[in-house]
mmCIF file of all heavy atoms in Angstrom:
data_model
loop_
_atom_site.group_PDB
_atom_site.id
_atom_site.type_symbol
_atom_site.label_atom_id
_atom_site.label_comp_id
_atom_site.label_asym_id
_atom_site.label_seq_id
_atom_site.Cartn_x
_atom_site.Cartn_y
_atom_site.Cartn_z
ATOM 1 N N HIS A 28 130.678 73.583 34.600
ATOM 2 C CA HIS A 28 131.831 74.107 35.318
ATOM 3 C C HIS A 28 131.555 75.537 35.762
ATOM 4 O O HIS A 28 130.910 76.294 35.043
ATOM 5 C CB HIS A 28 133.077 74.108 34.424
ATOM 6 C CG HIS A 28 133.596 72.744 34.123
ATOM 7 N ND1 HIS A 28 133.261 72.068 32.979
ATOM 8 C CD2 HIS A 28 134.402 71.921 34.832
ATOM 9 C CE1 HIS A 28 133.850 70.878 32.988
ATOM 10 N NE2 HIS A 28 134.553 70.767 34.099
ATOM 11 N N ASP A 31 132.640 79.298 41.260
ATOM 12 C CA ASP A 31 132.084 79.270 42.608
ATOM 13 C C ASP A 31 130.574 79.047 42.524
ATOM 14 O O ASP A 31 129.993 79.020 41.441
ATOM 15 C CB ASP A 31 132.419 80.565 43.377
ATOM 16 C CG ASP A 31 131.968 81.806 42.623
ATOM 17 O OD1 ASP A 31 130.794 81.868 42.219
ATOM 18 O OD2 ASP A 31 132.808 82.708 42.408
ATOM 19 N N ARG A 37 124.214 80.896 38.224
ATOM 20 C CA ARG A 37 123.918 81.715 37.046
ATOM 21 C C ARG A 37 124.149 80.934 35.754
ATOM 22 O O ARG A 37 123.365 81.033 34.811
ATOM 23 C CB ARG A 37 124.761 82.986 37.083
ATOM 24 C CG ARG A 37 124.203 83.963 38.101
ATOM 25 C CD ARG A 37 125.202 85.018 38.513
ATOM 26 N NE ARG A 37 124.591 85.966 39.434
ATOM 27 C CZ ARG A 37 124.392 85.732 40.720
ATOM 28 N NH1 ARG A 37 124.756 84.569 41.263
ATOM 29 N NH2 ARG A 37 123.822 86.636 41.495
ATOM 30 N N ARG A 45 116.490 78.249 30.212
ATOM 31 C CA ARG A 45 116.286 79.357 29.300
ATOM 32 C C ARG A 45 114.915 79.343 28.658
ATOM 33 O O ARG A 45 114.411 80.347 28.194
ATOM 34 C CB ARG A 45 117.368 79.322 28.228
ATOM 35 C CG ARG A 45 117.698 80.676 27.673
ATOM 36 C CD ARG A 45 118.733 80.559 26.596
ATOM 37 N NE ARG A 45 118.338 79.607 25.605
ATOM 38 C CZ ARG A 45 119.173 78.763 25.017
ATOM 39 N NH1 ARG A 45 120.434 78.778 25.348
ATOM 40 N NH2 ARG A 45 118.751 77.917 24.110
ATOM 41 N N ARG A 46 114.311 78.173 28.583
ATOM 42 C CA ARG A 46 113.003 78.108 27.930
ATOM 43 C C ARG A 46 111.889 77.916 28.952
ATOM 44 O O ARG A 46 110.898 77.257 28.688
ATOM 45 C CB ARG A 46 112.999 76.984 26.897
ATOM 46 C CG ARG A 46 114.016 77.230 25.803
ATOM 47 C CD ARG A 46 113.766 76.360 24.595
ATOM 48 N NE ARG A 46 114.685 76.685 23.516
ATOM 49 C CZ ARG A 46 115.811 76.027 23.289
ATOM 50 N NH1 ARG A 46 116.157 75.022 24.060
ATOM 51 N NH2 ARG A 46 116.587 76.372 22.300
ATOM 52 N N ASP B 5 121.968 72.318 26.658
ATOM 53 C CA ASP B 5 121.269 72.666 25.441
ATOM 54 C C ASP B 5 121.965 73.847 24.790
ATOM 55 O O ASP B 5 121.795 74.989 25.180
ATOM 56 C CB ASP B 5 119.828 73.018 25.802
ATOM 57 C CG ASP B 5 119.059 73.481 24.593
ATOM 58 O OD1 ASP B 5 119.600 73.342 23.483
ATOM 59 O OD2 ASP B 5 117.938 73.948 24.767
ATOM 60 N N GLU B 10 116.082 80.370 19.795
ATOM 61 C CA GLU B 10 115.149 81.142 18.983
ATOM 62 C C GLU B 10 115.517 82.608 19.062
ATOM 63 O O GLU B 10 115.956 83.088 20.079
ATOM 64 C CB GLU B 10 113.714 81.002 19.505
ATOM 65 C CG GLU B 10 113.322 79.627 19.932
ATOM 66 C CD GLU B 10 113.948 79.248 21.278
ATOM 67 O OE1 GLU B 10 114.327 80.147 22.037
ATOM 68 O OE2 GLU B 10 114.062 78.048 21.523
ATOM 69 N N ASN B 63 123.269 84.415 25.489
ATOM 70 C CA ASN B 63 121.935 84.686 26.034
ATOM 71 C C ASN B 63 121.674 86.173 26.155
ATOM 72 O O ASN B 63 120.597 86.665 25.824
ATOM 73 C CB ASN B 63 121.812 84.063 27.433
ATOM 74 C CG ASN B 63 121.207 82.675 27.372
ATOM 75 O OD1 ASN B 63 120.301 82.435 26.590
ATOM 76 N ND2 ASN B 63 121.692 81.786 28.198
ATOM 77 N N ASP B 151 123.541 92.144 36.767
ATOM 78 C CA ASP B 151 124.053 91.234 37.794
ATOM 79 C C ASP B 151 125.243 90.432 37.261
ATOM 80 O O ASP B 151 126.268 90.293 37.930
ATOM 81 C CB ASP B 151 122.919 90.291 38.228
ATOM 82 C CG ASP B 151 123.405 89.220 39.180
ATOM 83 O OD1 ASP B 151 123.660 89.559 40.346
ATOM 84 O OD2 ASP B 151 123.542 88.048 38.767
#
Side-chain angles (χ1 to χ4, degrees):
Chain A
H28 290 96
D31 55 52
R37 285 161 177 79
R45 208 182 53 219
R46 298 196 175 96
Chain B
D5 176 10
E10 319 75 22
N63 266 321
D151 174 74

